[in-house]
Amino acid sequence: MRRLAALNAVVLIVAAAGSRSTSAASASSGSASPWKWTPEVIADTVRVPEAALSPDGTRVVYVATRPRPEGAPLGAAWSNLYLVSAAGGAPRRLTSADAADKEPAWSPDGRLIAFLSARGADKPKTRLFIVPADGGEPWAVSDDKRDVDLFAWSQEGSRIAWVAVDPKGEDREKAEKAGRDWKVVDQDERPRRLWVADVPAPGATTAGAAGAVSGSAPRPVASLGNRSAWQIAWSPVGDALVAAVSDTPRTDDSYLAKRIVVLPIAPEARGRELVGVVGKVSSLLWSIDGATVVYRGGVDGSDPQAGSLFAVPATGGTPVNLTGGRLETVKDVVWAKGTKAVIVVTQGTHASLVESDLRDPATRRTLIAPGTLGFDAASASRDGSSFALVASTGDRPAEVVMARPGKPAPAPAAKGGRAAQPAKRAAAGALGTQVLTDLNPAQRVLPLGRQETFTWKASDGVEIEGVLTRPSGDDRRETYPLVVIVHGGPEYEVQDEWNTRTSEPVQALAERGYFVLMPNYRGSTGRGVAFSKGDHGDLGGREFQDVLDGIEALRRAERIDPRRIGMTGGSYGGYFTALAVTRYSRHFAAGVMLFGISDWLSFLGQSDIPKENSAVHWNLWCYDHQDLCRDASPVGRIADARTPTLILQGEDDARVPKPQADELYQALKWKGVPAEYVLFPREKHGFQERAHQIETTRRLLAWFEQYLKP
């Protein structure tokens, strides 16, 4: 495994990113811990959700998180924007508000940066802001009545478009205040409108008292009508947008009922359909030369992932699948011009950046080879010659990384009068990579379990793989416990990258003497469409057997104690865990279920994705196959349960609602199985508040210590 190169001036970089203690002494309880990977250390890891490269390729703006201090309003970690030279150097903080700044994007001339932010009043709306790249106060472009979900600069830079959810009408507000606040399901819906505004040049704007920019007022794109937009991209000349839209704003429709349309900006113009409803659609991009629209999509309505690359002439025509039968999943469409497109793909547990020929899909050029770095997306310079990544390895959390095809990585400039040491370079063919940040230097001294890709043959002969982390402590034990961490989705894959987080504390488990296996069972992505459909019609069957086969293969290869095996996971991984403590209880000594499914029939009536779940996860409706779904439901196999189980659930989860956890807990109590159930207020599908994250990790580790240690 190649380790990311460290930059100099660590103190300066840490200060720029928002310094914080990551030692065990920072634990909120104040008690000493024998472990270095504490729940507090994991929760306070600086994370980098996004990075964007300037059009000329000289600067990168990125988002870095920081925990909320004691006494701050409850919520997810705050995040701000930072700017760093693509040649290296100390980052500069661009925004400093106690806010959730995210999704930065450069104006085409590189002078402005737009971003989304929830800031200001209690429970503020997410608004669209713009800040000068050279520094200054951000100003708001959108109003404070609508939540903005996404936006895009026009390619010539004079306008910006965004999607915002319609606010409640005045009549509705009055009715709710008067107690007439009933809602008609599937009727009281608010569309996701598309708005456009002119962007004055820097220096030509004046912010009013409410923070709005003077100039033309935002105007809706009439050609969208009452449909809802989910992805957008501008035409090169700025006369139209291409968008993925659905007839309703329902979550299920956002997955499986989108069509791609061209929406003219002119008020009286009508839109035209470019691609009809087929399956999932994502990562929409209009090529710089205007000839082609490229996007990620599913091959049909039962494809679990928008994981194939498609191209369609911008004037209309039949989309061409450029991925074909490759055993991979396309994760991002980065850049397109002429006959070339740059995409991020995963193949098994590894990611790569490749250039694809739109005329000859068989022709490809690898820009970052598989196994070099772990990443899901990239940002390109306007000419497609350089790229910014948020990338990690198995031994270091994500950093901002520059990649330049065919060019060596430049040495960082000297800082503070000291000569800079040359940055290490991760070779990937002719590609130079350079690490621009050092966001978690204090973690460099913490113990690390060695991580690798582990491959085994399932009992039916199919090759399965996952990511294995070895204990970082004493290696002289006769046998070791094993914790299996199962990913959600199931349309997802675990990469050989940094995988330690509060709900999946891999390195904390390794330090405490566990092997950790994260399997990519059939139904996972990264191996092509057929593999991701491999669990269709077989609820909790062959896909779970893949995991059991992996455990057995690992037991034969390593000193694993078969009496001390635990499982944990969230969402679909929570379903696996619920199966592990019921149907497959004889194999597992402990389970920790995070927001998992326990009853497929009731789940369909509770979740916000009944259609998506049925179409792409199982390719069947449980209403039509009740016996099958009952047998595949953990509560349907409660008679087999004997595994001690910890259940962790967000109270406001709409994806896997609270009653799913209620059902399993009540069933385990009825059976007399040791069980503990912890509800986290305000949390949705995944825990965001720091105190909740720390408690999640603490309880998970303690549960396995109690039931898996001799």
Side-chain angles (χ1 to χ4, degrees):
M1 172 76 63
R2 296 181 176 92
R3 182 179 290 274
L4 288 173
L7 297 182
N8 293 304
V10 167
V11 173
L12 290 176
I13 292 175
V14 172
S19 61
R20 61 194 53 82
S21 170
T22 55
S23 68
S26 68
S28 59
S29 64
S31 60
S33 170
W35 308 112
K36 296 179 179 179
W37 283 107
T38 65
E40 291 79 9
V41 167
I42 298 172
D44 290 345
T45 299
V46 181
R47 305 193 184 277
V48 192
E50 303 110 6
L53 183 61
S54 62
D56 63 3
T58 62
R59 293 174 292 176
V60 181
V61 59
Y62 65 93
V63 177
T65 62
R66 56 187 173 93
R68 296 188 182 209
E70 293 290 335
L74 298 174
W78 281 325
S79 55
N80 294 118
L81 306 187
Y82 299 83
L83 200 64
V84 64
S85 169
R92 172 171 61 88
R93 192 167 180 167
L94 198 59
T95 63
S96 57
D98 291 339
D101 300 338
K102 60 182 181 179
E103 300 181 27
W106 294 83
S107 63
D109 61 9
R111 294 188 296 173
L112 301 173
I113 297 171
F115 64 99
L116 299 181
S117 181
R119 53 174 61 199
D122 182 40
K123 296 183 180 179
K125 299 292 186 183
T126 298
R127 304 174 67 188
L128 175 59
F129 288 82
I130 293 178
V131 64
D134 293 334
E137 284 298 314
W139 65 83
V141 180
S142 65
D143 61 37
D144 59 1
K145 298 179 181 179
R146 299 169 173 84
D147 274 313
V148 178
D149 187 56
L150 59 101
F151 68 92
W153 287 97
S154 63
Q155 292 192 27
E156 88 290 342
S158 64
R159 285 171 294 180
I160 195 165
W162 66 92
V163 173
V165 179
D166 269 7
K168 295 177 182 177
E170 184 177 341
D171 291 344
R172 179 68 184 179
E173 293 278 7
K174 291 179 180 178
E176 289 184 358
K177 290 179 180 179
R180 300 188 301 276
D181 53 357
W182 50 84
K183 299 176 182 178
V184 181
V185 176
D186 288 343
Q187 293 184 29
D188 291 339
E189 297 174 329
R190 291 179 284 155
R192 297 161 52 90
R193 306 277 185 195
L194 184 55
W195 297 80
V196 173
D198 297 329
V199 180
T205 62
T206 57
V213 176
S214 62
S216 66
R219 51 200 181 276
V221 176
S223 54
L224 177 64
N226 287 321
R227 295 171 294 182
S228 289
W230 301 94
Q231 288 91 26
I232 59 173
W234 282 89
S235 69
V237 296
D239 62 338
L241 290 128
V242 63
V245 306
S246 63
D247 291 338
T248 80
R250 298 168 202 160
T251 303
D252 246 347
D253 285 356
S254 75
Y255 283 113
L256 293 175
K258 290 184 291 191
R259 54 177 57 85
I260 300 176
V261 298
V262 175
L263 302 174
I265 300 301
E268 303 302 324
R270 300 181 63 182
R272 59 182 173 87
E273 184 171 294
L274 194 60
V275 180
V277 175
V278 176
K280 292 187 175 181
V281 174
S282 189
S283 298
L284 198 60
L285 185 66
W286 201 317
S287 66
I288 295 172
D289 59 11
T292 309
V293 171
V294 293
Y295 62 96
R296 291 193 299 126
V299 299
D300 55 37
S302 67
D303 191 341
Q305 180 66 284
S308 297
L309 177 66
F310 288 86
V312 61
T315 54
T318 302
V320 177
N321 185 345
L322 302 174
T323 305
R326 284 190 172 91
L327 303 183
E328 67 183 25
T329 296
V330 180
K331 301 300 286 285
D332 190 27
V333 178
V334 180
W335 179 88
K337 184 178 181 181
T339 64
K340 306 295 183 184
V342 175
I343 56 176
V344 176
V345 300
T346 52
Q347 298 163 319
T349 61
H350 297 122
S352 60
L353 188 70
V354 301
E355 182 185 82
S356 178
D357 192 309
L358 300 180
R359 294 178 304 182
D360 182 10
T363 301
R364 277 190 173 183
R365 182 167 71 103
T366 299
L367 305 179
I368 296 181
T372 305
L373 298 167
F375 58 100
D376 290 319
S379 175
S381 60
R382 186 169 181 85
D383 63 4
S385 65
S386 54
F387 305 89
L389 316 171
V390 175
S392 71
T393 60
D395 54 10
R396 185 166 171 184
E399 305 281 2
V400 180
V401 177
M402 272 298 298
R404 302 174 181 86
K407 296 180 181 179
K415 312 173 191 71
R418 299 177 60 187
Q421 299 296 317
K424 294 179 182 179
R425 183 159 61 97
L431 177 69
T433 60
Q434 180 185 8
V435 183
L436 302 181
T437 55
D438 192 6
L439 299 175
N440 295 284
Q443 292 186 5
R444 207 73 53 76
V445 300
L446 303 187
L448 290 174
R450 181 162 59 87
Q451 182 173 294
E452 62 197 63
T453 296
F454 181 71
T455 304
W456 65 93
K457 281 287 183 70
S459 51
D460 65 349
V462 175
E463 185 175 276
I464 307 295
E465 60 185 4
V467 175
L468 175 67
T469 304
R470 298 174 179 275
S472 59
D474 182 10
D475 62 356
R476 295 171 294 176
R477 301 180 189 182
E478 291 185 4
T479 59
Y480 288 86
L482 167 68
V483 172
V484 181
I485 300 180
V486 183
H487 69 70
E491 61 274 23
Y492 183 76
E493 80 286 333
V494 178
Q495 290 189 36
D496 189 0
E497 60 182 355
W498 186 255
N499 289 311
T500 295
R501 51 191 66 90
T502 53
S503 60
E504 298 174 344
V506 174
Q507 291 298 341
L509 288 165
E511 183 188 9
R512 288 157 174 78
Y514 300 87
F515 275 83
V516 181
L517 177 64
M518 307 180 80
N520 286 332
Y521 50 92
R522 73 190 70 193
S524 304
T525 49
R527 297 274 298 276
V529 175
F531 188 83
S532 66
K533 289 185 175 184
D535 59 350
H536 280 183
D538 184 25
L539 296 74
R542 172 51 63 182
E543 58 181 2
F544 201 100
Q545 186 61 46
D546 289 344
V547 177
L548 295 178
D549 293 339
I551 293 172
E552 177 60 21
L554 185 60
R555 189 193 65 79
R556 292 195 302 265
E558 304 291 346
R559 291 172 288 169
I560 303 297
D561 186 344
R563 299 166 300 175
R564 295 191 289 147
I565 297 174
M567 179 176 284
T568 185
S571 194
Y572 202 82
Y575 166 57
F576 261 58
T577 304
L579 281 179
V581 304
T582 56
R583 182 178 184 178
Y584 301 100
S585 187
R586 66 189 182 277
H587 298 283
F588 298 94
V592 179
M593 182 186 87
L594 293 91
F595 36 89
I597 299 98
S598 63
D599 187 334
W600 285 111
L601 284 166
S602 62
F603 175 77
L604 284 185
Q606 297 165 359
S607 176
D608 63 349
I609 56 163
K611 182 178 179 181
E612 196 260 353
N613 174 75
S614 302
V616 308
H617 296 167
W618 299 130
N619 198 25
L620 58 83
W621 282 86
C622 282
Y623 299 136
D624 294 326
H625 302 271
Q626 296 196 24
D627 290 342
L628 173 65
C629 292
R630 189 173 294 108
D631 185 64
S633 297
V635 294
R637 304 298 292 267
I638 196 64
D640 300 323
R642 58 177 182 264
T643 302
T645 305
L646 171 65
I647 301 171
L648 306 172
Q649 175 71 38
E651 201 163 21
D652 294 339
D653 193 340
R655 185 60 40 87
V656 181
K658 171 182 172 292
Q660 290 296 303
D662 295 344
E663 286 194 48
L664 183 63
Y665 180 61
Q666 295 295 346
L668 290 171
K669 283 205 307 179
W670 170 81
K671 186 64 167 54
V673 175
E676 192 168 292
Y677 180 16
V678 186
L679 266 176
F680 293 88
R682 298 174 300 281
E683 297 289 9
K684 297 180 173 61
H685 200 55
F687 304 152
Q688 299 297 317
E689 295 181 18
R690 180 177 183 270
H692 292 170
Q693 292 176 334
I694 291 171
E695 187 67 4
T696 295
T697 308
R698 186 190 70 79
R699 286 181 176 273
L700 183 151
L701 294 172
W703 195 262
F704 286 136
E705 288 289 296
Q706 179 178 354
Y707 290 104
L708 298 187
K709 290 296 181 70

